[in-house]
Amino acid sequence: MDKKAIIEETEKYYLPVFGRYPMVMELGQGCRVWDNEGNEYVDAFAGIAVNSLGYNHPVLVKAISEQAAKLMHCSNLYYTEIQAKALRVVAEATGMDRIFFANCGAEGNEGAMKLARKYGVSKAPTKYKIISADESFHGRTFDTLAATGHDYYYGPLSPGHVLVPYGDIKALEAQMDDDVCAVLLEPIQGEGGVHVPSDEYLQQVRALCDKHDALLIFDEVQTGVARTGKWFAYMHSGVKPDILTFAKGIGGGFPVAGFAVPERLAHVFKPGDHGGTFGGNPLACAAVYATLTTIKSEGLVDKVAEKGEYFKNELRKLQEKYPDKVTDVRGCGLMLGMEVAGEGKPIVESCLANNVIVNCTAGNVIRIVPPLIISREEIDIVVAALDKALAAC
């Protein structure tokens, strides 16, 4: 099929819920992708921070291929060796003791809130309130929508949710009481505009949760898996959550997610309280094991920290060059945001015209979340495209 036919067929049958660019992606290798017309792009978006090892990484391709030929799916009523291996490496990476595997970030966050509510109501029937932040993003199920700081119009959402400004400890303190079962936060806000809170704020949140016997949940769907230059973003502040959720980069491009807890919360759920047909299937676990062991063996955590600092400094040079157009550069590791004075969409489109893929979030923040394997040369290509875009916009 040619490009026109593919787009028309897709638009005919797919629900119109995505705003797509008129590009048909066909092939990926490393940090490069090609469309079906042969155009090559440097990808600094990585499928929304998903393709942590880039495209076609040989270890990941081999692991998934071999597992697919062996056993793709097995009910969680039975054990598999690959799940045992995946559980161990996730526990080691997260610093937690017990893991639940799901299929997407929303499922991971849903399960985390469900566990927190069971924890709360086991202590008092009114202890089910969950506090989260404005401009957050936690998923698109009804409960995760209720915890997400945006206006959605679906009628009543799940009750018991309260929103407060991100980074405002006084606002959180005003809402905290003994009916709160959990506080759910992103340790760095992603969709909201790559906002990095102070360590002090996260420490104060931890103290408030401890005071009111509420669980602290960190949504590390986007910030996890070496993205910020640590295995997980909470490790920058030293503030350890009670529940940590993960997804996106943990499967290197394969859909897999979940949440992790310490041993003291391991038995809040009893058999039958939670589950899922596909979560932790052998194919997903093979992807997780290959991704995490490769990140470790290739030393990508430290490399991300180094490359992220270089990338941020290059973006700051653009801020100095275009002080009226670039209002802020922020982020951590390879999760960076460049805030611009006007709309970000023209900059994204200009970069695409120069064969570089970036993203705009929150209207005016250019979000950069490339594969963890991006080279300095490729970083320079992205910065050059942004330079051209800023000059033209």
Side-chain angles (χ1 to χ4, degrees), residues 131-348:
I131 301 176
S132 52
D134 291 332
E135 304 305 319
S136 62
F137 185 83
H138 299 294
R140 290 185 171 89
T141 63
F142 271 100
D143 213 34
T144 54
L145 278 177
T148 286
H150 299 279
D151 291 329
Y152 292 96
Y153 302 100
Y154 300 109
L157 297 176
S158 301
H161 289 271
V162 176
L163 295 167
V164 298
Y166 189 70
D168 186 338
I169 195 64
K170 291 187 181 300
L172 177 62
E173 190 171 17
Q175 293 292 338
M176 286 295 290
D177 56 36
D178 290 341
D179 285 340
V180 175
C181 70
V183 175
L184 169 63
L185 294 174
E186 298 160 274
I188 299 173
Q189 279 196 325
E191 301 293 324
V194 193
H195 294 291
V196 184
S198 67
D199 290 348
E200 181 184 22
Y201 169 69
L202 296 178
Q203 290 159 5
Q204 291 170 327
V205 174
R206 175 74 272 176
L208 281 174
C209 286
D210 292 342
K211 178 181 177 181
H212 293 281
D213 191 19
L215 300 182
L216 177 57
I217 306 171
F218 277 169
D219 175 347
E220 294 241 28
V221 166
Q222 190 167 157
T223 58
V225 196
R227 172 57 54 191
T228 66
K230 296 283 187 182
W231 271 111
F232 284 84
Y234 85 82
M235 296 172 180
H236 291 284
S237 66
V239 177
K240 190 172 184 178
D242 299 297
I243 310 177
L244 180 150
T245 67
F246 55 83
K248 289 192 182 289
I250 203 160
F254 193 90
V256 56
F259 61 90
V261 298
E263 187 62 33
R264 72 182 183 87
L265 297 177
H267 300 289
V268 172
F269 280 156
K270 305 301 181 188
D273 282 350
H274 200 53
T277 299
F278 294 106
N281 66 77
L283 210 54
C285 288
V288 168
Y289 185 75
T291 299
L292 295 187
T293 54
T294 300
I295 289 172
K296 184 176 180 180
S297 67
E298 294 188 2
L300 289 180
V301 176
D302 291 337
K303 289 177 182 177
V304 165
E306 294 166 6
K307 289 184 285 191
E309 194 61 29
Y310 174 76
F311 210 150
K312 188 191 285 187
N313 287 336
E314 293 301 298
L315 295 177
R316 284 177 173 157
K317 290 177 185 177
L318 293 181
Q319 184 180 13
E320 293 172 4
K321 185 175 180 179
Y322 302 101
D324 296 332
K325 295 182 178 181
V326 180
T327 58
D328 194 19
V329 171
R330 54 184 178 260
C332 199
L334 289 174
M335 183 177 178
L336 301 172
M338 184 178 76
E339 186 172 315
V340 296
E343 287 292 316
K345 186 178 179 181
I347 293 174
V348 173

Side-chain angles (χ1 to χ4, degrees), residues 2 16 25-26 44 55 63 69 73 75 77 98 118 135 137 202 214 217 227 229 235 291 326 338 359 372 391:
D2 63 16
M25 294 304 187
E26 187 164 273
Y55 298 87
H73 177 73
S75 165
L77 294 176
R98 299 285 189 135
K118 187 171 185 199
E135 304 305 319
F137 185 83
L202 296 178
I217 306 171
R227 172 57 54 191
M235 296 172 180
T291 299
V326 180
M338 184 178 76
N359 165 256
L372 307 181

